[in-house]
Amino acid sequence: MADQIPLYPVRGAAAVASRKRAAYYSAAGPGAERPGRFQLEDESAHLDEMPLMMSEEGFENDESDYHTLPRARILQRKRGLEWFVCGGWKFLCTSCCDWLINICQRKRELKARTVWLGYPEKCEEKHPRNSIKNQKYNVFTFIPGNQRIPSDMVFLRTSEKAGSCFIRTDQLDGETDWKLKVAVSCTQRLPALGDLFSINAYVYAQKPQLDIHSFEGTFTREDSDPPVHESLSIENTLWASTIVASGTVIGVVIYTGKETRSVMNTSNPKNKVGLLDLELNQLTKALFLALVALSLVMVTLQGFVGPWYRNLFRFLLLFSYIIPISLRVNLDMGKAAYGWMIMRDENIPGTVVRTSTIPEELGRLVYLLTDKTGTLTQNEMIFKRLHLGTVSYGTDTMDEIQSHVMNSYSQMYSQASGNNANSTPPRKAQSSAPKVRKSVSSRVHEAVKAIALCHNVTPVYEARAGVTGETEYAEVDQDFSDENRTYQASSPDEVALVQWTESVGLTLVNRDLTSMQLRTPGGQILTYCILQMFPFTSESKRMGVIVRDEATAEITFYMKGADVAMSTIVQYNDWLEEECGNMAREGLRTLVVAKRALTEEQYQDFESRYSQAKLSVHDRMLKVAAVVESLEREMELLCLTGVEDQLQADVRPTLEMLRNAGIKIWMLTGDKLETATCIAKSSHLVSRTQDIHTFRPVTSRGEAHLELNAFRRKHDCALVISGDSLEVCLRYYEHELAELACQCPAVVCCRCSPTQKARIVKLLQQRTGKRTCAIGDGGNDVSMIQAADCGIGIEGKEGKQASLAADFSITQFKHIGRLLMVHGRSSYKRSAALGQFVMHRGLIISTMQAVFSSVFYFASVPLYQGFLMVGYATIYTMFPVFSLVLDQDVKPEMAMLYPELYKDLTKGRSLSFKTFLVWVLISIYQGGILMYGALLLFESEFVHVVAISFTALILTELLMVALTVRTWHWLMVVAEFLSLGCYIASLAFLNEYFGIGRVSFGAFLDVAFITTVTFLWKVSAITVVSCLPLYVLKYLKRKLSPPSYSKLTS
């Protein structure tokens, strides 16, 4: 028995695992059976034939367990003091540190909760157990109209008679259209408001989650017979940061503070540091190493005589000008100047610079991530086209539709008044005989009526001032007043359709949960009873309604949806697919409208099956969808509609400019896939010659693997992916998805939550290392804007939340072109030149100090003292060097006309180790020439070496500024002469500084000598020798290897 027990069970487990793998991979024959493809989601063995990177965690775990087991056994044998001395103290310290870190970083676990209503004896404390403990809000919260909802609530009761209200969610999901919310029916039916405190009921809510589009909960009332159980969904919730748009609401608080959806979908802002600052930091570190190395060399050449460490520190202080202390001051002042120039630009009025530390980032961007609604589009829909198969109507022929509708209803009512009894049978015969060709007028009338009935739009009437009591009469008085009516729906497309039917004569005047009323051109009111509503979903891509005409008792099933979903439902036709393609190429959003007449028996049969499917516990969604699909057969195709979502001004040329500049544009939106794809085409985000690969919905690792391989085989095509599929791919194949997506010319991500937008930004930053820019206009874009290297906010209809959180605020999307091409380019080029020149200014004077010390037997004696060292970096060279912030290599008009010039900026060639080494060599050459020239030419008057070399140094710096400038500005000339004048004036006042050592050495300035011709020509000779070769080299470089922009400026 004991002999059968393995001594090393882990080794045995590893061997078994390896045998299983060997058996799996050896089963490669044609008849070999392998495990099913989707048996286990995390099992990666079945994906071996696909070329994606696979995780080998399982193999690593087996080996690591085998190696760590003997080590653990050895530790177990040691006890007491021996164990503590041999490493136990390390284990104890590590454990204590880990425990403290876990305590500090521990997050409160999110839990589901039950909130009781009424019956205070159920509550053991002031607030119910496992519910909200927040002193700011009561459990019940009353919110009047046009007020922001303070916390996440379940909607219990409203002042609206229909039991529903509208809320605005623009600060949560970025959509400006209103959303319909429905109160819990049990609490809405209570006779009085105070009954909420007397019932015995509770709300069960799931634990807080990120998803703003879903919610699961239940409402239970125990004191009724039988007990009432209602399921709660997203339509029964009121999320924080949304606004009540109609009526007043009362809700029970379920989530507050950090548990609300709005807070969970926001991220903490980060401190943004520009790429130029990081590059200058690296160069400063290199200069520090050069400082230490130079000081050590000087001490070594001294021979380490005496207290050498004291001399080492003295040399560190003497050469400290190598470290450009004034660099930070100059750069910050330059950035403030760039921000002032941006805000003063008349071509981009209203632009605000809120972060003055990263203007250079505007010139280094590679990825631009943009929102859709309100950023690229105005979110204003306009009805453009109605196609009936044989005839098409555009914006210029809408009057014909209006006349057809008027004729149809006038004929109908003339027949009804002439022969009221026999008016119904002919209409039934007509509807039951579709083979009879209808007239154009009747077809137009049927299409307009279908569009006016098949929707979820609600007309809203604003209350008149002064109306307080008798609300019922007031409502009746307002019912059909056109000036007070506005339409609200969850989709702006549907509002545009209903507004169009109003313009052609058929007006929606009233609607509640069970009926709707239409007004004909003649003023008659048609009432329709809503029997069933089938809302739009991203899976079905269509919505439908079953209505009964109160006048004729006819039952009709109307349906509209995307052409992909409707083409298999409607009767055979030969024009639908072609016309849908034509409208899509025009940038229109298409909807196919169809109908089917039902008899009373057909509807009763459907209703019984539909009610039974809704009561099922298992697979409810599938059963309901199957019952609805039984009606969706051989429907009569009525029309095809085209609606245009108006783009912002100059969106197309701006996107074209950015694409030519080498910037890859990603569109991240919370809208539907079809809408996002349509806007990507109409805005030319995806060019007409490019294909679009729509990533299929995936839910498991295997499906994601297959779809990624399908996408890998595509070349030069844009990617369209939904947020759910993106989440699955990021979980298992983050690296592969990023690699494939970054190769695409454009990417569209739809149904993205705010946190997903921020995660995509961080993914691009980590995987590519390139600079990213995010632009949006709503509160749902704040996380993305704060996560990007450069955030731009647009002041739009969705408020100023994005604008206030951004680094730069603009008023229109088209302004981003000039912001990047002109100001981004100028800021980067100017800061690069300014930073390197400040480093050169410190290196040249340190080189002169090194030469001076070498001549004096490596003595640690300062060459310049006191005010000279201070004035060198301030009064004498400050203005000319800082005037480089006015320099420009390309005119703004040229930069806008040729955006291809922007591509060179992303390569970072204006500031690199190559250009830095060039400036170091220039500094060493000029410093050596100035110092050795002063020693050679002034051998007889060596006492004046300070005045001589310092004068030549100032002249050299002024000439080097002139050499660096590309385009002269009048302020640059003023700065040059002002600095030269300050230096000449200081010669008379600071004569004690222009000598070797202090006054105690007796070295005073000889004014008579400085005014001689000998002094002037010798200083001029040194200056010419130090600068003339550089001018010659610059001329030759421009002739032999000119920059790309020089061909345009010539």
Side-chain angles (χ1 to χ4, degrees):
M1 190 75 181
D3 297 334
Q4 298 175 359
I5 300 176
L7 294 176
Y8 297 99
V10 177
R11 182 193 297 267
V16 170
S18 61
R19 284 198 299 273
K20 286 182 179 179
R21 289 194 296 272
Y24 179 85
Y25 287 110
S26 63
E33 292 187 2
R34 290 189 179 181
R37 175 158 290 178
F38 300 110
Q39 284 179 1
L40 287 175
E41 185 174 317
D42 294 328
E43 198 173 30
S44 60
H46 62 274
L47 302 174
D48 62 325
E49 71 274 12
M50 302 177 190
L52 289 178
M53 297 175 61
M54 301 307 304
S55 172
E56 298 292 341
E57 293 178 358
F59 305 126
E60 294 172 359
N61 289 343
D62 292 342
E63 297 299 326
S64 61
D65 290 346
Y66 172 71
H67 287 300
T68 54
L69 185 67
R71 203 176 305 152
R73 288 176 174 171
I74 292 172
L75 288 176
Q76 287 177 0
R77 293 172 189 163
K78 296 179 181 179
R79 291 288 182 269
L81 184 62
E82 182 183 3
W83 172 82
F84 185 81
V85 172
C86 293
W89 62 275
K90 291 183 179 178
F91 176 76
L92 288 176
C93 293
T94 306
S95 301
C96 292
C97 292
D98 291 342
W99 178 76
L100 287 174
I101 291 173
N102 290 333
I103 289 295
C104 295
Q105 296 182 347
R106 185 176 60 188
K107 294 182 178 179
R108 190 163 62 91
E109 184 181 358
L110 302 177
K111 297 180 180 179
R113 67 279 318 271
T114 301
V115 183
W116 285 91
L117 315 180
Y119 274 130
E121 59 267 16
K122 285 280 187 182
C123 307
E124 300 171 358
E125 11 176 334
K126 181 176 181 181
H127 294 283
R129 186 173 57 86
N130 194 22
S131 69
I132 309 304
K133 298 179 176 62
N134 191 321
Q135 301 298 327
K136 189 173 181 181
Y137 309 113
N138 296 321
V139 174
F140 288 105
T141 302
F142 169 80
I143 302 169
N146 293 321
Q147 293 294 320
R148 190 172 298 278
I149 297 173
S151 58
D152 289 356
M153 304 190 302
V154 169
F155 186 12
L156 298 180
R157 195 174 175 89
T158 178
S159 59
E160 301 288 311
K161 288 186 176 181
S164 59
C165 76
F166 285 101
I167 63 169
R168 298 203 299 268
T169 61
D170 50 356
Q171 296 302 324
L172 188 64
D173 59 6
E175 301 301 322
T176 55
D177 40 270
W178 293 7
K179 306 292 190 303
L180 183 69
K181 296 294 181 179
V182 181
V184 177
S185 59
C186 179
T187 52
Q188 179 67 25
R189 289 195 303 264
L190 293 176
L193 182 60
D195 294 338
L196 282 174
F197 296 95
S198 60
I199 63 173
N200 180 11
Y202 62 88
V203 171
Y204 171 79
Q206 65 179 160
K207 67 178 183 179
Q209 294 182 343
L210 283 171
D211 190 3
I212 61 177
H213 299 295
S214 66
F215 174 75
E216 292 180 3
T218 57
F219 176 87
T220 304
R221 182 177 179 181
E222 295 182 340
D223 58 353
S224 62
D225 190 21
V228 177
H229 299 279
E230 288 189 38
S231 63
L232 303 178
S233 63
I234 186 66
E235 66 178 6
N236 304 117
T237 58
L238 303 170
W239 295 146
S241 297
T242 59
I243 296 176
V244 179
S246 64
T248 59
V249 301
I250 293 177
V252 58
V253 176
I254 53 174
Y255 308 127
T256 61
K258 295 181 179 180
E259 294 181 343
T260 59
R261 294 292 203 270
S262 60
V263 175
M264 293 180 73
N265 277 281
T266 55
S267 56
N268 295 324
K270 66 173 184 179
N271 293 324
K272 297 184 180 182
V273 180
L275 185 59
L276 184 95
D277 293 331
L278 298 176
E279 292 169 345
L280 288 174
N281 286 347
Q282 296 296 327
L283 298 181
T284 306
K285 293 174 184 176
L287 290 174
F288 173 75
L289 295 177
L291 167 65
V292 176
L294 182 59
S295 302
L296 287 173
V297 168
M298 300 299 286
V299 173
T300 304
L301 292 175
Q302 271 187 342
F304 293 97
V305 179
W308 61 270
Y309 53 87
R310 187 183 302 169
N311 292 331
L312 175 64
F313 280 102
R314 294 188 69 179
F315 278 121
L316 286 173
L317 292 175
L318 286 177
F319 300 142
S320 61
Y321 252 70
I322 292 180
I323 305 297
I325 300 175
S326 61
L327 175 63
R328 188 75 266 157
V329 178
N330 281 277
L331 280 180
D332 287 345
M333 292 174 61
K335 291 176 180 181
Y338 307 149
W340 182 81
M341 294 176 191
I342 292 173
M343 290 191 287
R344 288 292 300 271
D345 192 342
E346 296 179 354
N347 295 297
I348 47 175
T351 303
V352 179
V353 179
R354 304 190 187 278
T355 305
S356 62
T357 57
I358 55 171
E360 301 90 0
E361 292 295 278
L362 295 171
R364 310 289 297 276
L365 301 177
V366 178
Y367 290 96
L368 176 68
L369 300 101
T370 174
D371 182 34
K372 179 189 73 69
T373 308
T375 304
L376 296 179
T377 68
Q378 300 179 21
N379 205 30
E380 293 181 359
M381 307 296 174
I382 298 179
F383 191 93
K384 287 287 186 180
R385 187 72 55 83
L386 179 70
H387 204 290
L388 301 178
T390 57
V391 62
S392 176
Y393 296 96
T395 52
D396 53 345
T397 55
M398 292 300 175
D399 53 343
E400 296 183 21
I401 298 178
Q402 189 172 2
S403 63
H404 283 312
V405 173
M406 293 180 66
N407 293 336
S408 298
Y409 278 106
S410 61
Q411 291 175 8
M412 185 186 305
Y413 281 101
S414 63
Q415 292 175 5
S417 59
N419 189 1
N420 193 22
N422 297 328
S423 61
T424 305
R427 292 183 61 182
K428 284 189 177 179
Q430 185 181 4
S431 63
S432 61
K435 293 182 181 179
V436 178
R437 190 169 184 83
K438 300 178 181 179
S439 65
V440 174
S441 181
S442 64
R443 290 167 60 200
V444 170
H445 165 239
E446 286 291 338
V448 173
K449 185 171 75 170
I451 296 173
L453 289 174
C454 186
H455 53 73
N456 63 354
V457 181
T458 303
V460 178
Y461 297 92
E462 297 180 4
R464 291 180 179 175
V467 178
T468 55
E470 300 185 10
T471 55
E472 294 182 5
Y473 295 103
E475 288 176 3
V476 172
D477 191 36
Q478 293 177 26
D479 265 349
F480 311 121
S481 54
D482 294 341
E483 63 274 4
N484 276 342
R485 181 174 56 249
T486 57
Y487 295 112
Q488 295 300 336
S490 59
S491 172
D493 301 56
E494 300 207 312
V495 176
L497 292 173
V498 174
Q499 287 175 341
W500 174 78
T501 61
E502 180 184 1
S503 68
V504 296
L506 197 59
T507 306
L508 176 69
V509 293
N510 190 24
R511 179 184 182 142
D512 53 30
L513 296 177
T514 59
S515 66
M516 69 176 83
Q517 292 179 332
L518 302 179
R519 187 176 64 200
T520 66
Q524 295 86 3
I525 300 297
L526 304 177
T527 303
Y528 293 88
C529 179
I530 302 175
L531 302 178
Q532 298 290 346
M533 274 289 297
F534 311 112
F536 181 92
T537 62
S538 56
E539 291 79 19
S540 66
K541 298 182 176 61
R542 55 188 181 271
M543 66 90 59
V545 60
I546 301 178
V547 296
R548 176 189 280 119
D549 190 343
E550 294 289 346
T552 61
E554 288 183 354
I555 299 176
T556 310
F557 174 36
Y558 291 105
M559 177 163 281
K560 69 178 179 186
D563 57 312
V564 179
M566 296 292 291
S567 58
T568 58
I569 295 174
V570 299
Q571 297 171 352
Y572 173 77
N573 61 87
D574 57 356
W575 60 271
L576 180 61
E577 184 178 355
E578 180 183 357
E579 291 303 325
C580 284
N582 293 337
M583 289 191 186
R585 280 186 285 275
E586 295 178 22
L588 301 181
R589 303 164 71 159
T590 57
L591 281 176
V592 180
V593 184
K595 78 165 187 175
R596 179 183 177 185
L598 301 177
T599 63
E600 188 68 32
E601 294 78 15
Q602 287 175 327
Y603 174 70
Q604 293 299 334
D605 175 59
F606 166 78
E607 186 182 26
S608 62
R609 291 184 291 117
Y610 187 67
S611 302
Q612 187 176 0
K614 286 202 296 184
L615 291 175
S616 62
V617 178
H618 302 289
D619 298 329
R620 180 188 297 178
M621 299 296 293
L622 294 175
K623 292 178 180 178
V624 169
V627 173
V628 176
E629 286 177 5
S630 66
L631 280 184
E632 301 170 347
R633 294 173 184 171
E634 291 298 312
M635 299 189 71
E636 179 186 353
L637 176 59
L638 296 177
C639 65
L640 175 67
T641 65
V643 177
E644 181 186 29
D645 187 359
Q646 284 195 314
L647 297 173
Q648 295 273 6
D650 296 332
V651 161
R652 292 190 183 100
T654 302
L655 290 178
E656 187 72 22
M657 178 196 300
L658 296 175
R659 197 182 298 110
N660 292 337
I663 298 175
K664 294 186 177 181
I665 305 166
W666 289 31
M667 185 170 78
L668 313 180
T669 176
D671 214 334
K672 298 186 289 290
L673 186 141
E674 292 78 13
T675 307
T677 306
C678 185
I679 294 300
K681 292 179 180 177
S682 64
S683 65
H684 294 175
L685 176 68
V686 178
S687 63
R688 295 185 178 183
T689 58
Q690 289 174 348
D691 294 329
I692 294 180
H693 177 80
T694 302
F695 207 88
R696 296 177 184 173
V698 296
T699 56
S700 64
R701 182 174 186 169
E703 294 177 3
H705 211 135
L706 292 171
E707 192 60 30
L708 281 172
N709 277 317
F711 178 48
R712 187 189 290 271
R713 290 187 282 270
K714 301 288 184 71
H715 296 286
D716 192 34
C717 68
L719 173 65
V720 179
I721 186 171
S722 65
D724 296 335
S725 302
L726 180 70
E727 193 69 30
V728 175
C729 293
L730 290 179
R731 188 183 310 152
Y732 299 113
Y733 300 113
E734 181 177 300
H735 176 73
E736 289 80 1
L737 178 67
E739 178 187 353
L740 293 174
C742 290
Q743 297 173 0
C744 296
V747 177
V748 178
C749 298
C750 57
R751 287 296 180 194
C752 277
S753 66
T755 48
Q756 278 182 327
K757 292 182 178 183
R759 187 176 177 186
I760 292 171
V761 172
K762 294 174 182 175
L763 176 69
L764 285 176
Q765 293 171 341
Q766 295 168 0
R767 294 295 179 184
T768 65
K770 306 294 185 182
R771 311 310 279 178
T772 59
C773 174
I775 179 170
D777 69 321
N780 62 318
D781 302 317
V782 170
S783 297
M784 172 178 71
I785 288 172
Q786 291 177 340
D789 298 304
C790 177
I792 301 176
I794 298 180
E795 295 185 12
K797 294 181 179 179
E798 300 179 22
K800 293 187 176 182
Q801 195 168 347
S803 170
L804 294 173
D807 305 307
F808 302 91
S809 172
I810 58 179
T811 55
Q812 296 185 50
F813 181 81
K814 66 178 181 180
H815 292 167
I816 195 176
R818 186 174 181 87
L819 193 64
L820 268 57
M821 300 300 119
V822 177
H823 295 287
R825 178 184 188 86
S826 301
S827 300
Y828 171 59
K829 288 277 189 178
R830 291 164 177 172
S831 288
L834 179 63
Q836 292 178 118
F837 205 94
V838 170
M839 291 181 180
H840 157 76
R841 188 173 63 184
L843 281 169
I844 189 173
I845 198 170
S846 298
T847 304
M848 295 176 69
Q849 176 67 55
V851 173
F852 177 77
S853 297
S854 301
V855 170
F856 281 89
Y857 304 99
F858 310 107
S860 53
V861 177
L863 173 60
Y864 307 120
Q865 302 190 29
F867 187 79
L868 291 185
M869 295 299 289
V870 177
Y872 172 67
T874 54
I875 294 178
Y876 299 148
T877 60
M878 165 67 190
F879 298 113
V881 172
F882 187 71
S883 68
L884 291 174
V885 301
L886 301 172
D887 190 22
Q888 63 180 19
D889 57 345
V890 177
K891 292 183 178 180
E893 297 79 13
M894 201 67 67
M896 294 288 289
L897 189 60
Y898 298 100
E900 291 80 6
L901 295 173
Y902 190 88
K903 293 180 181 178
D904 293 337
L905 303 181
T906 58
K907 299 174 183 177
R909 292 176 177 173
S910 297
L911 178 64
S912 62
F913 273 101
K914 179 181 177 181
T915 59
F916 171 69
L917 289 175
V918 170
W919 278 102
V920 170
L921 293 176
I922 291 174
S923 303
I924 294 174
Y925 166 75
Q926 290 185 329
I929 290 294
L930 291 174
M931 202 65 234
Y932 277 114
L935 296 176
L936 289 174
L937 295 178
F938 294 90
E939 189 173 354
S940 57
E941 300 94 1
F942 191 75
V943 70
H944 300 300
V945 68
V946 172
I948 296 161
S949 60
F950 198 80
T951 304
L953 174 63
I954 297 299
L955 292 176
T956 300
E957 284 297 292
L958 297 180
L959 290 175
M960 283 301 295
V961 171
L963 177 67
T964 308
V965 169
R966 302 180 186 90
T967 305
W968 282 91
H969 191 277
W970 66 271
L971 285 175
M972 294 179 175
V973 181
V974 172
E976 292 268 336
F977 284 104
L978 179 64
S979 297
L980 184 62
C982 290
Y983 176 69
I984 294 174
S986 65
L987 289 175
F989 299 104
L990 303 173
N991 54 359
E992 71 270 15
Y993 288 102
F994 292 94
I996 300 175
R998 287 286 186 179
V999 183
S1000 58
F1001 286 87
F1004 292 94
L1005 182 67
D1006 191 351
V1007 179
F1009 170 72
I1010 287 180
T1011 56
T1012 60
V1013 178
T1014 305
F1015 173 84
L1016 294 177
W1017 82 257
K1018 289 185 176 182
V1019 169
S1020 301
I1022 296 174
T1023 307
V1024 168
V1025 172
S1026 67
C1027 294
L1028 184 60
L1030 300 179
Y1031 273 85
V1032 174
L1033 289 175
K1034 180 180 180 181
Y1035 176 78
L1036 293 176
K1037 182 181 178 182
R1038 286 195 172 184
K1039 286 294 183 182
L1040 301 176
S1041 178
S1044 57
Y1045 58 83
S1046 62
K1047 301 174 184 177
L1048 304 176
T1049 55
S1050 61

